[in-house]
């Protein structure tokens, strides 16, 4: 009997000791061991510059030089590579995106952890119109991943007040604002900004306009730039309106989800 | 087994578990403290920098696309600096964009809410304060970036509405945008377009281009090519565009590509057919090659921009040699007529008497004894009694240059009787007398000076002995004649001595004419003739441009050259072999001096001509324009400092036409609007045919209604040649014919008179010679022309020499005849009594102009009828060819004998206005299309929502680039009657002048 109780006692003791060991040891591996916010801060704080050309169907054009924080440049790179339903809208801009990706990669190479950065711009989550750039490998499945998100400004206008009033008018009004604001920067729409067709930037601009027309199924009839861009604008507005109607319960909900002036830069880190 | 109480192992385990649990909890759940706020603030600071960078970028695009050139008179506009409204507007835009972006940064982190902000703008004072919170400076290499610092950015952290952290930030960063650089370049470009001639810019460039064009066309016209207007507005438009494109290149490193292409095409089209028509074959060939070339390379355009008319065309820098020539002739003619003057002067030595008087004794013979009551002396009268005897005295010595001819010593006793009249009481007078006796010694010297006349001073050893080339008396008889005149003629030495003693000797020099050898003038004449040849060939070499622009005063230069050579030309020997030789040299010296003073007179007239230009041209100071403009010829216009980064010029319109254009042509022009992008005006200073401007200007015309025979004859000639309809009242060709005949008759009479003056032939013979000479020409107009341009005078000379060879045997005689005939023509031509009336000439001239004008417009109207058009074209050509021979321009010095060039000047004004002028600089990423900074200048208000109330406030105005440039170009051609000048329109204005831009 006694022998039995001793055995039981020892067993219980060992059990409790191992529980105590577990209590001390297990919490040490429970949380993520990495913090992505340091990298995110670094990307938002350090400035760099990139040089690139904008390609006009084969001809290089002048060298551009853009400087800014890594995060800012990533946001602009995302905006510069817009896709509509997966179809690219910005031909000739790959050199800029690659340049931004390269400087970001070099900046992250010093970090001891594995890092990937994704910058996206879209007017609202899961919109058919979006731009995205990505740097670094995808994290393997099964590891703990730390993330940090930075929002960076891009040249698209926000027009918060206008969106509020559009919310009361319906989906179409919201669609028009989004399409208008995007095209304000994506294409020139007046005589002032439109470069001469013979110049390099004129060729780049007209090439991009044609791509928009094709993607939206707009007649590529002749006409001056202003007319053509406004045709593209209505088509884009229609497309976005349809999507908003499908995706949101009410126009105010849709308006609340819209973010035009910033891009999201998401930093992910994990232990190798 | 013992019975000791046992602590079960399990209890130990329980304790261990409890402890480990406590440790685990205390390790993994630390107490959270404020570091979250710090981290949050850190993150926020980084975000502020990124937001500011984006805001600056956006603001730069906004400021470039809508620059404020003039601040508005609104509360916001007044907050902008008047001198730097553009920079201030940019600062305000940066502030506004930053504030807007900061508002959106507001976020929450782990229960801490973070926000960044700038002070709100809500009143005028705060607008200025906001501007001053933004600091701006150019930065980066080549100015392609700006350094921005924003003061007073406030960061706040709060938890549950409670403020837990606050700080202020002054973010400071450099943004890559060439906004300040491009603004500066455009501002400089506009300044250069408006710079006055002489400074680097459009006007100087225009001048440099117009000179060769005007010269090429001017000389072509001068040679009789059918060029109506030497400087025409269509050329002005062309060269202005060329110059404007070159200015763009100077300011931005490049020019508008479309403008360049249009310019290239236009120059090939216009240039080849018109601009250089008939000027130079190599130019046309070059333009032909260009036309064949498929594309115009930039270098070709550059060459074209200078419109170089070829090496063989006359250039302003070409020198022309001008001889004293006709002035020497005229002086010669006068010198021959008055050759006796210098000879007489040489043979009239000067003579004078000089004296020394010494009083050796003085004695009062009778003193005055005035009465007791005498008052003052009312009158006094002295008489002298003199007694002259030979005596010893020291005569004066002769002065340098004078030599003694005789001297005398005399002792003179003078009794000086003085009567004085005194005033006495009671209106009475009293007279007293007194006598003084003086003994004086008087020396007299008679001296002569033969260094008289115009010849330089040299000794003549043989002066008082006979001899010399004509075996003449020299001045051998001069001492005798002097003694006769000065001593014997005045009563002999004793009388002279007596006069000297009482102080009444005339010591002034007198000229005593000595005997002049027979035939001396004839002996000197050939020598003068040779000198005349030599003097008339004295020349100066002057760039033609300096003559055209009145920069060089040719008569003045000739006078200077002559002055420098005077000694050599007068050529005096070391000693004169004879007085005759001295007279010869004197005649030479007088001749040279005569030419010199005539040149000096012409030099003054040339200055008057320059002033005349001021009256003939519009504008404030055409003389200055002419002077400053000429300096630009041949010297490259200094470029601006081109930017170190690529820029694209995008001008609307790219090519500034003088035609009115609308929206269809240039989309930047609003619908239904129309514009005159370029307006030009050119005024020809001395454009004739007959207005008499020239003559009036130079005061050649005495009456207001008179014109020159030269002009009248031309008009008559053309009117007759074209068989004008002269039935219209006031356009009576027969009246003109009568006037011209009168003028012609006056010249004929003058020619006959010259023959008479030279004692050639009989009265009838002389008339016959002149009549025969004229008959070579046909028609009143043509004859008058031949008469007035001297052709007839030449013919008369030849006929005379042929008919009476004996009468004009020697070279001086012939020369005298030739020169005499020439000047007879000039004198007769300028005789106002016989000049044609201007009103009569003008009537016919109007008809001529009308016909020429019709022929030109008729061409354009009748395009359909090909054959007819060809015929018309031929007529136009012919009409223009005739017109080209109409006299134009003015002689530089409108005086007889000094006609070395015909000059003319054009005052050129161009004014332009761009509907829109954009400069694009690659800048930025392709997220904004096009990826460039576009700086735009146009007429538009500039607005910005400063206070964030949703409606934009007016900041100011964007203004167009417009410009005005003026210059004067001048052309000089050789002295032929046709000269150079515009034929049809003197004052040519393009449509819309004087206001470029929107058409009214």
């Amino acid at each position: 009997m006694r022998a039995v109780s001793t055995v039981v006692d020892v067993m219980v003791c060992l059990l409790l000791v191992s529980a105590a060991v577990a209590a001390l040891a297990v919490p040490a591996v429970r949380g993520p061991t990495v913090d992505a916010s340091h990298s995110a801060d670094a990307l938002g704080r350090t400035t760099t510059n990139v040089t690139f050309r904008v390609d006009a169907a084969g001809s290089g054009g002048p060298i551009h030089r853009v400087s800014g924080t890594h995060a800012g440049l990533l946001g602009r790179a995302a905006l510069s590579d817009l896709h509509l339903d997966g179809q690219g809208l910005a031909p000739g801009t790959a050199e800029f995106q690659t340049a931004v990706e390269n400087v970001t990669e070099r900046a992250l190479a010093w970090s001891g952890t594995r890092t990937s950065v994704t910058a996206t711009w879209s007017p609202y989550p899961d919109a058919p119109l979006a731009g995205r750039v990505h740097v670094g490998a995808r994290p393997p499945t099964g590891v703990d991943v730390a993330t940090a998100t930075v929002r960076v400004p891009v040249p698209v206008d926000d027009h918060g007040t206008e969106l509020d009033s559009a919310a009361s008018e319906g989906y179409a009004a919201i669609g028009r604002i989004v399409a208008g604001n995007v095209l304000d920067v994506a294409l020139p729409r007046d005589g002032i900004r439109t470069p001469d067709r013979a110049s390099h930037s004129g060729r780049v601009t007209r090439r991009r306009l044609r791509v928009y027309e094709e993607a939206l199924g707009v007649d590529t009839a002749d006409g001056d730039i202003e007319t053509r861009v406004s045709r593209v604008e209505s088509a884009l507005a229609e497309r976005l309106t349809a999507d908003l109607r499908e995706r949101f319960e009410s126009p105010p909900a849709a308006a609340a989800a819209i973010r035009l002036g910033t891009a999201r830069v998401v930093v992910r880190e994990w232990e190798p | 087994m013992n019975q000791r109480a046992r602590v079960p192992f399990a209890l130990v385990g329980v304790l261990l578990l409890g402890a480990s649990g406590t440790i685990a909890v205390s390790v993994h759940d630390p107490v959270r403290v404020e570091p979250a706020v710090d981290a949050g603030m850190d993150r926020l600071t980084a975000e502020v920098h990124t937001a500011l960078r984006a805001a600056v970028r956006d603001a730069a695009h906004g400021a470039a696309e809508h620059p404020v050139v003039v601040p508005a008179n609104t509360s916001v506009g007044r907050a902008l600096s008047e001198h730097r409204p553009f920079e201030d507007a940019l600062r305000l835009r940066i502030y506004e964009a930053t504030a807007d972006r900061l508002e959106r940064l507001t976020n929450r982190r782990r229960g801490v809410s973070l926000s960044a902000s700038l002070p709100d703008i809500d009143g005028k004072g705060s607008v200025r304060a906001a501007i001053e919170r933004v600091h701006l400076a150019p930065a980066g290499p080549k100015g392609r970036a700006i350094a921005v610092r924003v003061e007073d950015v406030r960061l706040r952290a709060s938890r549950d509405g409670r403020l837990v952290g606050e700080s202020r930030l002054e973010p400071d960063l450099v943004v890559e945008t060439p906004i300040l650089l491009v603004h500066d370049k455009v501002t400089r470009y506009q300044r250069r377009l408006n710079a006055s001639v002489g400074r680097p810019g459009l006007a100087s460039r225009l001048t440099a281009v117009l000179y060769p064009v005007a010269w090429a066309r001017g000389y072509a016209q001068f040679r009789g090519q059918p060029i109506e207007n030497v400087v025409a507005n269509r050329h002005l438009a062309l060269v202005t565009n060329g110059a404007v494109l070159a200015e763009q290149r100077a300011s931005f490193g490049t020019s508008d590509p479309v403008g360049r292409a249009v310019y290239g095409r236009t120059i090939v089209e216009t240039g080849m057919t018109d601009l250089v028509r008939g000027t130079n074959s190599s130019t046309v060939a070059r333009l032909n090659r260009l036309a064949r070339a498929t594309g115009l390379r930039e270098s070709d355009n550059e060459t074209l921009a200078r419109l170089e008319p070829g090496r063989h065309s006359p250039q302003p820098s070409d020198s022309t040699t001008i001889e004293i020539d006709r002035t020497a002739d005229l002086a010669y003619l006068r010198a021959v007529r008055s050759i006796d003057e210098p000879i007489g002067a040489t043979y009239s030595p000067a003579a004078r008497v000089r004296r020394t008087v010494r009083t050796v004794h003085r004695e009062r013979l009778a003193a005055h004894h005035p009465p007791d009551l005498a008052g003052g002396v009312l009158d006094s009268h002295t008489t002298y009694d003199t007694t002259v005897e030979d005596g010893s005295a020291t005569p004066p010595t002769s002065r340098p240059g004078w030599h003694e001819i005789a001297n005398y010593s005399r002792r003179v006793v003078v009794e000086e009787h003085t009567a004085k009249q005194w005033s006495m009481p009671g209106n009475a007078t009293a007279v007293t007398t007194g006598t003084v006796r003086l003994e004086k010694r008087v020396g007299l010297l008679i001296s002569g000076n033969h260094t008289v006349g115009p010849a330089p001073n040299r000794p003549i050893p043989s002066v008082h002995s006979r001899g010399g080339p004509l075996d003449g008396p020299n001045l051998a008889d001069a001492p005798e004649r002097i003694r006769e005149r000065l001593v014997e003629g005045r009563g002999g030495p004793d009388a002279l001595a007596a006069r000297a003693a009482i102080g009444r000797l005339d010591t002034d020099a007198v000229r005593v004419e000595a005997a002049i050898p027979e035939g001396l003038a004839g002996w000197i004449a050939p020598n003068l003739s040779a000198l005349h040849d030599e003097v008339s060939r004295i020349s100066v070499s002057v760039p033609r441009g300096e003559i055209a622009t009145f920069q060089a005063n040719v008569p003045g230069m000739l006078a200077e050259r002559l002055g420098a050579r005077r000694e050599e030309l007068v050529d005096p020997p070391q000693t004169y072999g004879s007085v005759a030789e001295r007279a010869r040299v004197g005649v030479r010296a007088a001749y040279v001096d005569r030419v010199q003073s005539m040149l000096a007179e012409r030099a003054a007239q040339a200055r008057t001509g320059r002033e005349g230009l001021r009256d003939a041209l519009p504008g404030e100071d055409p003389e200055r324009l002419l002077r400053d403009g000429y300096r630009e010829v041949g010297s490259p216009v200094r470029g601006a400092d081109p930017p170190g980064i690529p820029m694209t010029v995008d001008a609307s319109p790219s090519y500034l036409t003088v035609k009115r254009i609308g929206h269809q042509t240039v989309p930047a022009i609003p619908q239904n609007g129309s514009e005159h992008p370029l307006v030009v005006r050119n005024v020809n200073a001395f454009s004739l045919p007959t207005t008499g401007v020239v003559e009036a200007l130079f005061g050649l015309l005495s009456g207001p209604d008179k014109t020159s025979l030269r002009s009248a004859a031309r008009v008559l000639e053309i009117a007759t040649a074209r068989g004008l309809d002269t039935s219209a009242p006031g356009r009576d060709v027969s009246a003109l014919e009568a006037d011209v005949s009168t003028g012609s008759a006056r010249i004929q009479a003058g020619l006959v008179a010259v023959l008479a003056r030279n004692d050639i032939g009989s009265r009838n013979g002389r008339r016959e010679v002149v009549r025969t000479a004229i008959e070579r020409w046909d028609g009143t107009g043509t004859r008058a022309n031949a008469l007035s341009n001297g052709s007839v005078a030449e013919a008369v000379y030849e006929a005379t020499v042929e008919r009476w060879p004996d009468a004009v045997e020697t070279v001086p005689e012939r020369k005298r005849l030739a020169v005499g005939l020439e000047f007879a023509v000039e004198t007769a031509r300028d005789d106002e009594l016989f000049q044609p009336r201007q009103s009569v000439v003008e009537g016919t001239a109007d008809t001529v102009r009308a016909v020429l004008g019709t022929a030109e417009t008729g061409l354009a109207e009748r395009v359909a009828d090909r054959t007819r058009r060809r015929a018309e074209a031929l007529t136009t050509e012919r009409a223009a060819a005739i017109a080209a021979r109409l006299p134009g321009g003015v002689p530089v010095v409108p005086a007889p004998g000094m006609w070395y060039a015909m000059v003319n000047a054009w005052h050129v004004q161009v004014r332009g206005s761009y509907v829109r002028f954009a400069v694009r600089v690659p800048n930025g990423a392709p997220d904004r299309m096009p990826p460039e900074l576009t700086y735009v200048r146009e007429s538009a208000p500039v607005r910005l929502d400063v206070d964030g109330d949703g409606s934009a406030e007016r900041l100011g105005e964007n203004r167009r680039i417009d410009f005005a440039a003026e210059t004067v170009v001048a052309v000089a051609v050789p002295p032929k009657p046709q000269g150079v000048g515009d034929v049809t329109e003197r004052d040519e204005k393009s449509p819309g002048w004087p206001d470029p831009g929107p058409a009214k």
Side-chain angles (χ1 to χ4, degrees), chain A:
Chain A
M1 182 60 206
R2 170 164 288 207
V4 171
S5 72
T6 301
V7 168
V8 169
D9 185 27
V10 168
M11 291 301 284
V12 168
C13 175
L14 284 174
L15 198 68
L16 288 170
V17 166
S18 45
V21 168
L24 281 172
V26 171
V29 293
R30 190 180 54 191
T33 54
V34 287
D35 183 0
S37 63
H38 293 296
S39 294
D41 282 349
L43 289 178
R45 205 171 284 141
T46 56
T47 58
T48 182
N49 60 66
V50 292
T51 55
F52 59 93
R53 289 163 191 272
V54 182
D55 187 52
S59 68
I63 292 178
H64 288 247
R65 196 181 125 100
V66 175
S67 63
T69 60
H70 288 89
L73 288 176
L74 283 163
R76 300 183 68 186
L79 180 65
S80 74
D81 190 25
L82 286 185
H83 286 64
L84 182 69
D85 298 318
Q87 189 177 349
L89 292 175
T93 61
E95 207 175 305
F96 171 57
Q97 290 130 25
T98 312
V100 173
E101 285 163 9
N102 288 345
V103 293
T104 312
E105 208 156 6
R106 277 200 298 279
L108 294 175
W110 292 99
S111 138
T113 57
R114 295 283 167 88
T115 311
S116 81
V117 182
T118 308
T120 50
W121 180 90
S122 66
Y124 51 90
D126 301 322
L129 180 71
R132 180 173 182 278
V133 288
H134 179 84
V135 180
R138 307 226 163 256
T141 46
V143 299
D144 285 308
V145 177
T147 65
T149 303
V150 190
R151 293 205 79 99
V152 290
V154 292
V156 185
D157 250 343
D158 250 334
H159 287 303
T161 49
E162 286 179 31
L163 270 174
D164 290 345
S165 57
S168 58
E169 289 173 41
Y171 293 108
I174 301 172
R176 272 200 303 278
I177 288 181
V178 175
N181 286 10
V182 170
L183 289 179
D184 272 346
V185 297
L187 285 169
R189 10 190 9 179
D190 55 18
I192 291 180
R193 245 166 72 195
T194 311
D196 182 76
R197 69 170 62 243
S199 69
H200 178 262
S201 61
R203 287 196 298 274
V204 170
T205 308
R206 280 167 181 78
R207 184 177 172 206
R208 180 182 278 203
L209 178 56
R210 270 197 306 282
V211 170
Y212 269 81
E213 285 168 342
E214 278 165 29
L216 288 157
V218 175
D219 218 5
T220 49
D222 50 5
D224 58 12
I225 292 268
E226 284 165 58
T227 329
R228 287 172 66 185
V229 173
S230 58
R231 236 181 272 143
V232 165
E233 187 183 356
S234 347
L236 183 61
E238 257 172 57
R239 173 75 189 83
L240 291 170
T241 307
D243 187 70
L244 285 167
R245 192 168 281 136
E246 210 170 89
R247 211 173 288 278
F248 295 98
E249 285 176 0
S250 65
I258 283 169
R259 293 275 179 282
L260 298 176
T262 50
R264 268 162 57 91
V265 179
V266 179
V267 182
R268 290 187 177 81
E269 289 195 12
W270 64 94
E271 286 285 354

Side-chain angles (χ1 to χ4, degrees), chain B residues 350-419:
Chain B
R352 64 183 288 200
V353 185
R354 294 177 62 231
R355 81 293 185 233
T356 48
V357 178
R358 197 158 59 88
T359 305
V360 291
H361 184 70
R362 179 190 170 95
E363 186 183 350
R364 189 178 295 273
L365 297 183
H368 292 271
H369 297 291
D372 290 345
L373 296 171
V377 177
L378 290 177
D379 194 12
S380 164
H381 184 73
T382 308
T383 54
Y384 302 93
D385 283 336
T386 53
T387 319
V388 182
E389 315 167 358
D390 286 354
S392 61
T394 321
T397 50
S398 51
R399 293 267 172 91
W402 294 72
H403 60 268
E404 183 180 326
I405 288 169
N407 72 70
Y408 309 95
S409 301
R410 293 287 186 274
R411 172 172 167 274
V412 182
V413 176
V414 182
E415 280 191 6
E416 204 178 287
H417 307 285
T418 314

Side-chain angles (χ1 to χ4, degrees), chain B residues 476-514:
Chain B
D477 63 340
E480 193 47 46
R481 288 193 182 205
I482 289 168
R483 264 196 298 275
E484 255 168 43
R485 170 92 179 272
L486 284 189
V487 184
E488 313 315 332
R490 295 181 181 178
D494 287 0
L496 291 176
R499 254 177 260 150
I502 61 174
R504 291 187 180 165
L505 185 67
D506 178 3
T507 57
D508 289 347
V510 294
R511 301 294 289 270
V512 179
E513 282 175 19

